[in-house]
Amino acid sequence: MTVRVGQGFDVHAFSDDPDRRLVLGGVVFDGERGLVGHSDADVLAHACADALLGAAGLGDIGSHFPDTDPRWAGADSLGLLAEVARLVRGAGWQPGNVDLAVVCERPKLAPRRDEMEQRLTDVVGAPVTVKGNRAEGLGALGRAEGIACWAVAVVER
Ligand code: MG
């Protein structure tokens, strides 16, 4: 068996638009500020997708879903992630697991962690785990200016 690992990263700033919804791991956080982005700005889904693409040697999310393409405006990022999982399998790789580390001051992730993990796991077709961390007041993330996510994925064949 051949195993490969991939890394993903994404960050989005909070939006001043009161109509932007906050979507993380496909879960809507009502009453929280949304993130700026061409799609729904789901940083977890984007980092997860980039890690899978990297592991499979298939480039990155920007090359497959350019943010200049009106097709992806306001897109549901779980749909993009589903397409990435399809591409990875199409290239002969089976996703093994993906682990996500999210850094934000808010919202609190723990109460919705199971939901996010379930939605991402369903879409990827392999276990996706989500861990939340605060930035302890340091830098832009610590000033609650946005949300960042790091991801590591394993694929095998
Ligand atoms: Mg993104």
Side-chain angles (χ1 to χ4, degrees):
M1 186 171 69
T2 303
V3 174
R4 287 177 52 147
V5 65
Q7 182 183 41
F9 170 76
D10 196 28
V11 61
H12 284 260
F14 282 115
S15 168
D16 292 326
D17 178 353
D19 292 330
R20 285 286 295 179
R21 295 188 313 168
L22 179 63
V23 184
L24 299 174
V27 173
V28 177
F29 286 70
D30 288 320
E32 297 286 344
R33 283 171 80 188
L35 297 166
V36 177
H38 184 64
S39 66
D40 62 8
D42 186 336
V43 287
L44 279 70
H46 294 176
C48 184
D50 251 357
L52 286 166
L53 288 171
L58 292 173
D60 60 33
I61 194 172
S63 58
H64 291 280
F65 311 103
D67 63 9
T68 50
D69 188 333
R71 270 185 306 166
W72 311 116
D76 174 353
S77 294
L78 287 193
L80 305 188
L81 183 57
E83 175 64 10
V84 163
R86 197 186 65 78
L87 289 168
V88 167
R89 289 192 170 84
W93 295 98
Q94 185 63 35
N97 76 294
V98 187
D99 189 36
L100 306 179
V102 186
V103 178
C104 62
E105 294 298 308
R106 60 175 306 166
K108 283 204 180 333
L109 299 181
R112 312 293 300 275
R113 187 215 299 245
D114 289 353
E115 274 176 90
M116 292 188 285
E117 289 184 341
Q118 192 61 59
R119 299 215 64 185
L120 293 164
T121 294
D122 287 347
V123 170
V124 171
V128 181
T129 44
V130 176
K131 306 188 305 292
N133 300 273
R134 294 184 58 243
E136 305 300 338
L138 293 172
L141 294 171
R143 291 189 296 272
E145 293 175 7
I147 300 179
C149 182
W150 283 258
V152 173
V154 166
V155 298
E156 54 201 29
R157 72 163 147 216

